[in-house]
């Protein structure tokens, strides 16, 4: 697992602004910071992918270059994941996109249950599947999304990218997805009784797009 804030960088400022209850009032900055973290995470992911050599003709001479060999599908869970997906996808010109809609069912004594109602994805066979989820809280929505996506082909790798993850969510995902890889800007220690990450940043979807009715 790669945790971006383990090494000091501009990501720390993006995170600070995302968490700040006063800065959160600037909705466009909130969205932009998530997208920027997606770009940084996408760059870090690019270091872990497979490339192939080719000869590229410049106006002056031929140059040996490297181009991406892996085929990527970058998926997200609506609605909070959209700017994160957009940031990651901006790094990879030829990546395909997938979209899923998931919502929390009324909470029971068993905790949070996820209603996955919509999946739109290209074929995933032998591709690198990236699941972008801004807040990796319980991990249940990611597991439900992953299982739904498997109906559309078996990917060669599964990589989860988040802005903030909870340690319980990380543990749950690693238990249920074989050989999963995770890139996140920060890992927070716990969830509250409403299954929100603490300290986290609140409801990312509401902060991005307004409260739900």
């Amino acid at each position: 697992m790669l945790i971006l804030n383990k090494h000091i960088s501009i990501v720390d400022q993006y995170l600070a602004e995302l968490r700040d209850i006063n800065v959160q009032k600037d909705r466009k900055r909130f969205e932009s910071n998530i997208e920027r973290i997606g770009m940084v995470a996408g760059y870090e992911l690019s270091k872990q992918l497979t490339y192939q050599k080719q000869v590229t003709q410049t106006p002056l001479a031929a140059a040996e270059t490297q181009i991406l060999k892996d085929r990527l599908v970058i998926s997200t869970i609506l609605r909070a994941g959209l700017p994160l997906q957009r940031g990651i996808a901006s790094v990879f010109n030829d990546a395909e996109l997938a979209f899923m809609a998931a919502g929390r069912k009324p909470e029971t004594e068993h905790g949070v249950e996820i209603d996955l109602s919509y999946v739109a994805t290209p074929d995933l066979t032998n591709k690198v599947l990236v699941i972008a989820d801004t807040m990796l809280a319980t991990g249940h929505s990611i597991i439900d999304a992953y299982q739904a996506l498997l109906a559309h082909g078996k990917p060669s790798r599964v990589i989860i990218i988040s802005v903030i993850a909870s340690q319980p969510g990380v543990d749950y995902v690693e238990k249920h997805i074989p050989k999963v890889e995770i890139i996140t800007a920060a890992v927070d220690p716990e969830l509250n009784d409403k299954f929100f990450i603490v300290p986290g940043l609140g409801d990312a979807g509401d902060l991005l797009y307004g409260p739900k009715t």
Side-chain angles (χ1 to χ4, degrees):
M1 181 170 65
L2 175 62
I3 305 172
L4 299 179
N5 75 342
K6 289 292 186 180
H7 305 280
I8 295 175
S9 74
I10 193 62
V11 167
D12 292 84
Q13 180 171 326
Y14 301 155
L15 279 169
E17 293 181 357
L18 286 169
R19 292 187 192 269
D20 192 307
I21 194 170
N22 295 308
V23 181
Q24 286 178 349
K25 297 172 185 177
D26 184 345
R27 191 175 291 175
K28 291 305 293 183
R29 189 194 297 191
F30 190 85
E31 180 179 24
S32 178
N33 282 333
I34 292 176
E35 186 169 344
R36 287 167 172 168
I37 288 175
M39 293 174 67
V40 174
Y43 170 72
E44 293 295 334
L45 169 60
S46 75
K47 299 177 185 179
Q48 304 173 22
L49 299 176
T50 304
Y51 294 80
Q52 60 188 17
K53 293 181 181 179
Q54 75 168 24
V55 175
T56 300
Q57 185 65 45
T58 82
L60 301 178
E64 187 175 276
T65 55
Q66 298 273 357
I67 61 169
L68 187 63
K69 183 177 181 180
D70 286 323
R71 295 178 296 162
L72 274 67
V73 176
I74 304 170
S75 65
T76 196
I77 302 170
L78 302 174
R79 56 184 173 150
L82 287 171
L84 183 63
Q85 181 195 44
R86 190 162 59 244
I88 301 165
S90 70
V91 178
F92 302 102
N93 291 338
D94 299 320
E96 298 176 279
L97 302 182
F99 301 89
M100 294 164 285
R104 293 186 177 199
K105 295 179 181 178
E107 291 163 15
T108 69
E109 68 273 14
H110 303 295
V112 64
E113 294 184 37
I114 302 300
D115 177 21
L116 191 68
S117 56
Y118 174 82
V119 178
T121 179
D123 179 44
L124 301 174
T125 304
N126 295 325
K127 297 176 184 176
V128 176
L129 172 62
V130 178
I131 302 176
D133 194 5
T134 299
M135 306 297 286
L136 198 176
T138 67
H140 287 83
S141 60
I142 284 182
I143 297 305
D144 287 352
Y146 166 72
Q147 292 173 345
L149 286 166
L150 288 183
H152 301 273
K154 183 179 180 181
S156 58
R157 294 169 66 184
V158 179
I159 299 161
I160 293 169
I161 296 180
S162 69
V163 173
I164 299 176
S166 77
Q167 189 59 56
V170 168
D171 295 342
Y172 185 82
V173 166
E174 289 181 335
K175 180 179 178 180
H176 288 84
I177 302 180
K179 299 181 180 179
V180 68
E181 302 164 64
I182 299 173
I183 300 175
T184 185
V187 177
D188 286 356
E190 59 186 353
L191 300 167
N192 66 13
D193 59 356
K194 299 294 185 182
F195 305 102
F196 282 92
I197 300 172
V198 178
L201 52 76
D203 189 311
D206 286 0
L207 290 165
L208 282 164
Y209 305 115
K212 300 177 288 293
T213 59

